[in-house]
Amino acid sequence: QVQLVESGGGLVQAGGSLRLSCVASGRTFSGNVKGWFRQTPGKEREFVAAISWGGTTTYYADDVKGRFTISRDNAKNTVYLQMNSLRPEDTAVYYCAARISTVVDTVPRKYDYWGQGTQVTVSS
């Protein structure tokens, strides 16, 4: 089993920044893909960003491109999401996920393990 624990969420004003972290523990797999997703009440979980094992391949949702940056430190079993120029519509619970594959994907059901989520609230 793999455990994922997110941190770094909180309340921030529009235009501000937050950095989310996700630490993996338990049975960690090399070559895995990590992703960030978000969800608001009444809506499906949506893709935000994903990164390959080596960090050379990254995908972003269109509405976060240029504002969010995903990165990872495999020595620390940690993936990060730097969020800049935050908007009220970025308000959501943000989830970290791991996919036991070398292929980066944007579909939530392709991911094998999930964290509990961290709340991000952006005030206008």
Side-chain angles (χ1 to χ4, degrees), residues 17-20 67-71 80-84:
S17 298
L18 283 174
R19 189 194 195 200
L20 305 184
R67 300 188 299 123
F68 291 10
T69 302
I70 188 170
S71 61
Y80 305 97
L81 185 68
Q82 177 66 44
M83 305 187 295
N84 298 329

Side-chain angles (χ1 to χ4, degrees), residues 41-116:
K43 293 189 177 181
E44 293 188 354
R45 195 164 296 187
E46 66 175 12
F47 170 75
V48 175
I51 188 168
S52 61
W53 169 255
T56 56
T57 301
T58 55
Y59 289 177
Y60 294 94
D62 287 342
D63 60 348
V64 307
K65 282 180 183 176
R67 300 188 299 123
F68 291 10
T69 302
I70 188 170
S71 61
R72 65 189 297 167
D73 183 342
N74 292 332
K76 296 181 179 180
N77 292 322
T78 302
V79 62
Y80 305 97
L81 185 68
Q82 177 66 44
M83 305 187 295
N84 298 329
S85 302
L86 283 162
R87 305 167 180 168
E89 53 265 39
D90 293 318
T91 295
V93 177
Y94 283 71
Y95 296 91
C96 171
R99 180 172 193 231
I100 309 306
S101 170
T102 59
V103 179
V104 180
D105 207 292
T106 65
V107 178
R109 62 180 172 81
K110 296 290 186 71
Y111 285 74
D112 302 287
Y113 299 97
W114 292 84
Q116 293 300 306

